[in-house]
Amino acid sequence: MFQRIRETIDKGRKFLVVSHVDPDGDAVGSAFAACFALTGLGKDASVYLQDSVPYRYRFLPRPAAVLHQFPENGYDAVFVVDCGDLHRVGDSYDALKRKGVLINIDHHEANGAFGQINIIDDRASSTAEILYLILKSLEVRFTSDIAVNLYTAVVTDTGSFRYENTTERAFSICEEMVSLGVSPASVAIAVYESHPKERLQLLCLVLATLEMFHEGRIALAHIAGDMFARTHTNAEYAEGFVEYLKEIDSVEVACLLRELGPGRYKASMRSKNSVDVACVARKLGGGGHRKAAGCTLEGDIGTVKTILIEAFSQ
Ligand code: AMP
Ligand code: MN
Ligand code: MN
C-alpha cells in the first residue's frame, strides 16, 4: 500500500505540506501530523498555510516551520492535504505546481485528482483518517504530537462523532490516539469551550438575521462586514455558526452568508438529511461534501440571498 508515497519520501530530502485557506481542524491537524511524521522519518519538512492558524487550533503542537509566506524554495514533493481542488490552497496554487511532485491526500467527493500521486477516499471521515493509514504503512512512530493532531482532525471533521462520516474506523483511530495519551476532554475544552466572549456577541447579531424559506426547510442568516467591526471580531470567530441554524427541527439545509468584501459573500451550507449541498455549491462555482459545502457569491446581500435560495429551488 502507498508504495509511490513511500518511494517518493525515501528518495527525497525536503518536503512541504500545504492545506486550504480558512483552515479547519482537519486541515491544521492533518498538515501538522504529516509534517511531524516526515520530520520523524529524518526529513526536512515545513507546513505552508496561506491563512494563520485559527485561535481554537493554536493549542495543537505545531511543527518548527509553519510558513504563511509562500516559500521560494523548491521541494522534492509537496503534500496537499484536505483540498478537493488545488485552488483551495489559496492565491499561490498555480506556483505550487512547480514546487515539486504534488501528492494529493483528500476525502472530498469531487476531488479533481490534481496531483502526480492521488490518495483520495471519499468514504474517509477526514483527511486525517487517510493520513493515519499512510503513516501506519510507513511505520511512522505515533508521537504525542502526531496523536493529538490526528485526533483533533477526526473529531472536528465528524462534528464530534455526530455526522454520517462517523465510522467504526473514525472511532478506532481516536481510540488508538487516546491510548497514546490524548485527552478527549482537554481537546474538547480547547476547541469548543475556549472562545473569547466576542464570539457570542457576534453570534447574537448573526442570529438576529435568521430567515426561513421553503416551509422552514431552509434557514439562512448572514454576517455583514460591519458586524465584525462592531464586536471586534473577524471570520475566525464565526466558525461553526452555520451549525446553530441546523439545530431547528424543521430545517433540512442551513446557509450562512459571510461578507468577504463589498459585494462578495462566502456561502456555507449544511444539510441535515438527504439534500446534497455539494451539488448546489458546485452549480454556484464552489464545492465540498454532500452535507457540508461552500461557494463564493457576488452581489449585494439581497441578490446573493436570492441566488442561493433559487439554487435550492431548481
Ligand atoms: P465551510 O462552509 O467553509 O466550512 O466549508 C464546508 C465545505 O465546503 C468544506 O469541506 C470545504 O472544503 C468546502 N468549500 C467551502 N468553500 C468552498 C469553495 N469556495 N470552493 C470549494 N469548496 C468549498
Ligand atoms: Mn477542511
Ligand atoms: Mn476534511
Side-chain angles (χ1 to χ4, degrees):
M1 276 272 270
F2 310 122
Q3 191 58 31
R4 289 185 65 205
I5 290 196
R6 180 189 288 272
E7 283 166 13
T8 309
I9 294 174
D10 283 348
K11 272 197 315 220
R13 190 182 57 80
K14 211 163 170 254
F15 297 93
L16 183 67
V17 184
V18 304
S19 192
H20 59 78
V21 292
D22 240 340
D24 53 24
D26 193 22
V28 177
S30 295
F32 285 7
C35 188
F36 279 123
L38 288 161
T39 313
L41 292 169
K43 307 295 175 177
D44 176 342
S46 320
V47 171
Y48 166 72
L49 295 170
Q50 176 171 303
D51 296 334
S52 60
V53 174
Y55 66 78
R56 76 194 61 197
Y57 301 121
R58 287 195 196 137
F59 76 99
L60 287 170
R62 62 156 64 207
V66 179
L67 316 170
H68 299 291
Q69 291 283 343
F70 192 64
E72 302 207 333
N73 311 333
Y75 295 86
D76 293 306
V78 180
F79 291 79
V80 185
V81 298
D82 201 42
C83 295
D85 187 300
L86 194 57
H87 286 97
R88 297 278 296 144
V89 168
D91 301 332
S92 310
Y93 78 93
D94 208 34
L96 200 62
K97 294 180 199 156
R98 296 182 289 277
K99 287 277 163 203
V101 174
L102 290 188
I103 304 177
N104 170 7
I105 303 174
D106 186 45
H107 68 127
H108 290 84
E109 275 140 74
N111 187 297
F114 53 77
Q116 275 90 56
I117 300 175
N118 298 285
I119 313 283
I120 302 159
D121 180 2
D122 62 15
R123 288 158 310 166
S125 62
S126 50
T127 297
E129 178 176 325
I130 306 171
L131 195 60
Y132 164 88
L133 296 173
I134 295 172
L135 300 192
K136 278 271 164 185
S137 90
L138 295 172
E139 293 169 50
V140 165
R141 191 171 75 82
F142 283 75
T143 59
S144 57
D145 289 345
I146 293 178
V148 71
N149 274 291
L150 290 180
Y151 176 89
T152 303
V154 175
V155 166
T156 53
D157 249 30
T158 57
S160 304
F161 308 114
R162 287 177 304 138
Y163 305 151
E164 251 167 34
N165 60 351
T166 305
T167 56
E168 212 177 313
R169 191 188 274 158
F171 276 117
S172 78
I173 292 170
C174 289
E175 180 190 19
E176 187 179 333
M177 298 307 120
V178 171
S179 77
L180 294 171
V182 174
S183 157
S186 305
V187 171
I189 291 170
V191 176
Y192 300 115
E193 298 180 343
S194 300
H195 297 295
K197 70 173 185 322
E198 286 78 8
R199 171 175 161 91
L200 274 77
Q201 291 166 337
L202 178 65
L203 180 61
C204 282
L205 300 182
V206 176
L207 291 180
T209 70
L210 175 65
E211 288 173 87
M212 309 291 281
F213 297 88
H214 292 291
E215 288 91 41
R217 291 197 296 276
I218 299 183
L220 173 65
H222 74 270
I223 313 178
D226 74 330
M227 292 180 187
F228 291 126
R230 284 162 64 196
T231 52
H232 309 288
T233 57
N234 56 48
E236 246 180 69
Y237 290 70
E239 194 188 301
F241 277 10
V242 66
E243 310 291 340
Y244 288 104
L245 311 181
K246 207 156 63 85
E247 290 181 12
I248 301 165
D249 54 1
S250 64
V251 167
E252 287 294 327
V253 173
C255 300
L256 180 70
L257 291 165
R258 167 165 61 83
E259 191 173 1
L260 298 172
R264 282 187 74 229
Y265 287 84
K266 157 77 198 267
S268 282
M269 302 169 222
R270 298 290 184 272
S271 166
K272 195 187 286 181
N273 291 303
S274 57
V275 178
D276 182 350
V277 286
C279 175
V280 174
R282 280 198 295 275
K283 274 198 288 189
L284 298 171
H289 309 276
R290 277 195 320 116
K291 298 208 168 182
C295 62
T296 305
L297 297 169
E298 313 260 332
D300 59 39
I301 184 67
T303 311
V304 164
K305 277 186 195 171
T306 308
I307 294 171
L308 192 57
I309 297 303
E310 283 187 356
F312 282 98
S313 313
Q314 290 160 13

